[in-house]
């Protein structure tokens, strides 16, 4: 174990939950006690902060938005379901569907991916009373404004409950470094320091 080798306290979590901590600490979610963080890269992961606390769940997997169903008749997902968000907008899925790396996606493909993300975020906002989703990852950040605009348009269309109206999807404030900054936040959380959500 790393802790045995280094003699230092060691804390581990996934990249999306780390992103959630980091963005609440010194990123795009500063000042928000309720938000969702998402990484769209090779796969799609998420982390949820409610009432200022990062959710862990029974097996520390809370926030796994990549396996929300966004198209019941959609693509098969390695998890065994059909139509998962990850099966449509992850870099792996896009490359498999198009025969090209995600970085070479067309504008229309980026818009479709953004819409599907917005649909998933709307469901999360409606379920959890959220108004902010912070998004990082090479695919999302690489897809740029057209992706985020499409996500926000779909979010506005689908999040119609009064408390979810006005929810928005924004790029991570720490950019591509979001999950790395989050790793430091995971350590701070593990040590019980108050700078990040408990």
């Amino acid at each position: 174990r790393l802790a045995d080798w280094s003699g230092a306290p060691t804390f581990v979590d996934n990249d999306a939950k780390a992103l959630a901590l980091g963005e609440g600490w010194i990123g795009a979610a500063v000042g928000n006690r309720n938000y969702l963080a998402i990484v769209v890269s090779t796969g799609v992961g998420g982390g949820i902060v409610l009432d200022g606390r990062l959710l862990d769940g029974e097996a520390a997997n809370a926030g796994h938005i990549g396996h929300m169903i966004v198209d019941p008749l959609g693509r098969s997902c390695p998890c065994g379901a059909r139509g998962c968000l990850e099966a449509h907008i992850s870099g792996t899925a896009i490359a498999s569907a198009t025969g090209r790396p995600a970085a070479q996606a067309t504008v229309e493909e980026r818009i479709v991916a953004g819409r599907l993300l917005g649909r998933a975020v709307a469901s999360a906002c409606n379920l959890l009373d959220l108004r902010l989703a912070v998004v990082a990852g090479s695919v999302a950040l690489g897809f740029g404004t057209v992706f985020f605009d499409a996500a926000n348009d779909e979010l506005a269309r689908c999040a119609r409950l009064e408390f979810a109206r006005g929810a928005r999807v924004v790029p991570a404030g720490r950019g591509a470094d979001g999950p790395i900054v989050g790793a430091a936040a995971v350590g701070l959380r593990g040590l019980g320091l108050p700078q990040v959500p408990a």
Side-chain angles (χ1 to χ4, degrees), residues 31-192:
N32 290 274
R33 291 179 52 77
N34 301 282
Y35 59 93
L36 173 66
I38 303 170
V39 176
V40 184
S41 188
T42 306
V44 178
I48 300 166
V49 172
L50 283 183
D51 298 325
R53 297 180 58 215
L54 178 69
L55 300 187
D56 286 315
E58 186 69 23
N61 289 307
H64 220 328
I65 195 168
H67 294 281
M68 289 183 73
I69 306 299
V70 293
D71 181 355
L73 302 177
R75 299 177 192 154
S76 295
C77 182
C79 78
R82 181 173 291 279
C84 292
L85 182 65
E86 184 170 299
H88 287 269
I89 75 166
S90 69
T92 302
I94 291 168
S96 176
T98 66
R100 293 174 273 107
Q104 295 177 16
T106 66
V107 169
E108 183 57 33
E109 288 162 350
R110 294 171 190 228
I111 290 171
V112 169
R115 284 183 189 141
L116 293 175
L117 177 72
R119 189 175 301 166
V121 170
S123 293
C125 290
N126 289 335
L127 177 67
L128 298 171
D129 193 5
L130 302 175
R131 288 200 175 129
L132 177 65
V134 178
V135 183
S138 59
V139 173
L141 297 179
F143 279 7
T145 302
V146 68
F147 172 84
F148 284 95
D149 286 349
N152 278 302
D153 288 346
E154 187 72 1
L155 174 56
R157 188 183 74 81
C158 296
R160 304 304 302 158
L161 295 170
E162 183 177 351
F163 64 79
R165 287 181 195 155
R168 58 200 170 90
V169 176
V170 301
R174 308 309 299 181
D177 293 334
I180 300 297
V181 171
V186 167
L188 293 172
R189 179 192 190 214
L191 293 169

Side-chain angles (χ1 to χ4, degrees), residues 11 21 26 35 108 198:
F11 307 96
L21 287 174
I26 53 173
Y35 59 93
E108 183 57 33

